[in-house]
Amino acid sequence: PFGKVPAFEDGDVKLFESRAITQYIAHRYEGQGTNLLQPDSKNLAHYATMAIGMEVEAHHFDPVVSKLAWEHVFKLIYGLTTDQAVVAEEEAKLAKVLDVYEARLKEFKYLAGDTFTLTDLHHIPAIQYLLDTPTKKLFTERPRVNEWVAEITKRPASQKILQ
């Protein structure tokens, strides 16, 4: 309806917004291919943990990394100059988010528990942009975040989107 992609159709279901699309696919096709939900997806406490992770990604992680990707990657594509003041401000915000992730990852392999879920999946595109920028240091200087990033970005699907 806003004239943007991604858009998705599955029979009579017509969706837009990537997070809504991935949630639909994960639920609709649960049990087929890679499960992107908690292993016990009917357990509301487990589902709520994953939902919190998706909300944190959408409201605390993505806005910051989107600005950093704009400054480090897209401005260069358009021949614009990176604003280092914006980078410093956004990196400080990202550091706080990654500190929360580091603490979480001391308890679990992934952000929503011990299995890869939509929470982790939603992080991959922005992380992929930032791994080739100076902001990468914020990920690598946190051992558990660094391990998590390596784990989620080495997945075959993650590698395929880079081709």
Side-chain angles (χ1 to χ4, degrees):
F2 299 109
K4 296 182 180 183
V5 292
F8 176 82
E9 291 186 24
D10 185 28
D12 292 337
V13 176
K14 294 175 178 41
L15 301 172
F16 63 99
E17 296 297 339
S18 60
R19 289 172 186 85
I21 293 167
T22 59
Q23 287 185 59
Y24 173 84
I25 291 170
H27 284 89
R28 170 72 172 84
Y29 297 99
E30 184 178 8
Q32 299 176 39
T34 300
N35 183 22
L36 296 173
L37 303 172
Q38 291 283 4
D40 181 7
S41 63
K42 304 301 182 229
N43 180 315
L44 290 179
H46 291 166
Y47 186 80
T49 299
M50 186 182 74
I52 290 168
M54 290 188 295
E55 289 294 314
V56 169
E57 183 277 331
H59 299 289
H60 297 281
F61 181 82
D62 189 66
V64 173
V65 295
S66 293
K67 289 178 186 174
L68 286 164
W70 169 250
E71 291 296 332
H72 282 309
V73 179
F74 297 106
K75 274 191 167 182
L76 298 176
I77 292 170
Y78 293 110
L80 303 171
T81 303
T82 298
D83 185 333
Q84 293 303 328
V86 171
V87 169
E89 180 180 336
E90 297 306 319
E91 282 186 344
K93 293 176 187 175
L94 179 58
K96 290 178 182 179
V97 174
L98 294 179
D99 286 344
V100 171
Y101 287 10
E102 183 72 10
R104 177 76 178 158
L105 293 165
K106 286 178 182 176
E107 299 178 45
F108 301 100
K109 183 176 181 177
Y110 298 100
L111 289 177
D114 288 323
T115 58
F116 181 83
T117 66
L118 288 170
T119 299
D120 307 292
L121 176 74
H122 291 171
H123 285 80
I124 294 172
I127 288 173
Q128 294 283 25
Y129 281 120
L130 294 180
L131 289 181
D132 290 328
T133 74
T135 298
K136 177 182 180 178
K137 70 184 179 293
L138 296 178
F139 298 97
T140 59
E141 64 192 14
R142 291 165 176 82
R144 287 171 179 83
V145 168
N146 190 47
E147 290 171 14
W148 170 71
V149 166
E151 182 71 26
I152 66 173
T153 59
K154 77 177 183 185
R155 297 177 68 83
S158 296
Q159 292 299 307
K160 190 171 184 171
I161 63 171
L162 295 175
Q163 297 174 352

